Structure formats: C-alpha cells, structure tokens
Amino acid sequence: QVQLQESGPGLVKPSETLSLTCAVSGYSISSGYYWGWIRQPPGKGLEWIGSIYHSGSTYYNPSLKSRVTISVDTSKNQFSLKLSSVTAADTAVYYCARQSGSYYSDYWGQGTLVTVSS
Amino acid sequence: SYVLTQPPSVSVAPGQTARITCGGNNIGSKSVHWYQQKPGQAPVLVVYDDSDRPSGIPERFSGSNSGNTATLTISRVEAGDEADYYCQVWDSSSDHQVFGTGTKVTVL
C-alpha cells in the first residue's frame, strides 16, 4: 500500500522560507509517476503548487513559480517543497500526493497545517 | 489561465441522484478527475479520466464529459456522500493543473 507522510515546521515567520518533506513508503519514487504538492487555505478550495517527475523535471503553478522549488531525493524515497518569502496568505494545509500521467492524484498524505505568523 | 467553475452547493435527498457540474472552455477535450473531501480529511479520488473509477469506489459514482461541461453523478445518494467535491484537469496550454472551485453536497 502506497503511503505518503508530510513533515516540517507548523509555524513559519513572514518573509521566511517554508520547507516540507514528503516521505513515501510502499512504492519507489524512482520507479515512475509524478509527485506533487497541493495546498488548501482554511475554509477554501484546493490549489496545485507544483509537481516533479522521478527524473527531476518539474512543473509549477505560474502564480507561485517565482517562489517555489520542488526537489526529489530517490535515495531517501522522498520529495520536498520550498516556498520562499511567505506571507499570511500562504497559511494552509499542505498535501503531498502521487500523480499519474494524466495528473490525477491517486494517493495523498494526510496533510500538514502550516501557519505563517510572527 | 484556465478556469473551472462549479456550483457552490448541491442539496439532495437520500436515495436520489446528485449531479455536480464542472464548467470550462472546451473541457470535453481534456481529461477530468473528481475528488471527494470530507471535513478534516485529505481528498479522495472518486473518478479519473472523465469516467473511470479507482478500485474501492462504489459504482454509484460516475462521470461524463462533453463540450464545455463535465458532470459527476452520484446515484442513490447516502448520508456518507455528504462532502465537498472538486473537479481537476491538466491545462496543456500552460502546463499546469487546475482545480475547480468546489461543490458542497448536502444530504437532506
């Protein structure tokens, strides 16, 4: 069974960089698929942040592209998100997910709440 | 950028049929995926590639896609179907994923 687990600080100060990691078990990232990050501000809808292929090629949401970096570490079977210069608007539950070639997310992490506040 | 529009809410009585629409420019040319999200939980994929169901998803969930509208249909609605539902596509013109605005389904 494929499982994903997000980890990282739950509180980040404004202007700093948000960093999260998604550990994958039950499937080897190097075997294929895209791996993505999606977020959901409190009480609002889903927003795709970006995705990375196991080879390292990336796609980012144009509205966040200047601040986002997604990387993969196949040796640890995990992938990571960095979002720079955060503001209160970046407060959200952040999910990681496995994504097919059609870009649907079939396995999701449980999500982690990141609050941006001083 | 590509926009997907869903009705904010749909209400349905138990045993009846709920239809949730997802509108987008020529969405019929894209693959549409649907997620169910219950409060405090991660989304769950219920339909992918317009009309396919992942294993474990009841046959009561079905999808269609044509023209400018995709539809998720929930037949014989149960209390446990009460949730938010989101459509999603890949916009190849800008290489990014787009989620719909979301629809809250209320079972009366």
Side-chain angles (χ1 to χ4, degrees), chain A residues 40 48 51 99 102-103 105, chain B residues 33 35 37 42 49 88 96-97:
Chain A
Q40 185 171 36
W48 173 71
S51 302
Q99 302 182 319
S102 299
Y103 299 99
S105 297
Chain B
H33 320 302
Y35 302 89
Q37 186 181 33
D49 291 346
Q88 180 234 317
H96 77 280
Q97 297 180 38

Side-chain angles (χ1 to χ4, degrees), chain A residues 9-75:
Chain A
L11 181 63
V12 181
K13 290 182 168 55
S15 80
E16 296 190 343
T17 295
L18 178 159
S19 296
L20 296 174
T21 296
C22 181
V24 180
S25 59
Y27 188 85
S28 173
I29 286 181
S30 59
S31 294
Y33 283 94
Y34 289 86
W35 304 87
W37 289 96
I38 298 109
R39 70 180 183 179
Q40 185 171 36
K44 297 188 178 181
L46 300 169
E47 179 182 35
W48 173 71
I49 300 171
S51 302
I52 189 166
Y53 195 51
H54 68 92
S55 61
S57 60
T58 52
Y59 295 96
Y60 296 135
N61 187 322
S63 68
L64 299 170
K65 188 173 184 176
S66 63
R67 300 193 291 130
V68 173
T69 301
I70 296 175
S71 59
V72 64
D73 186 341
T74 54
S75 67

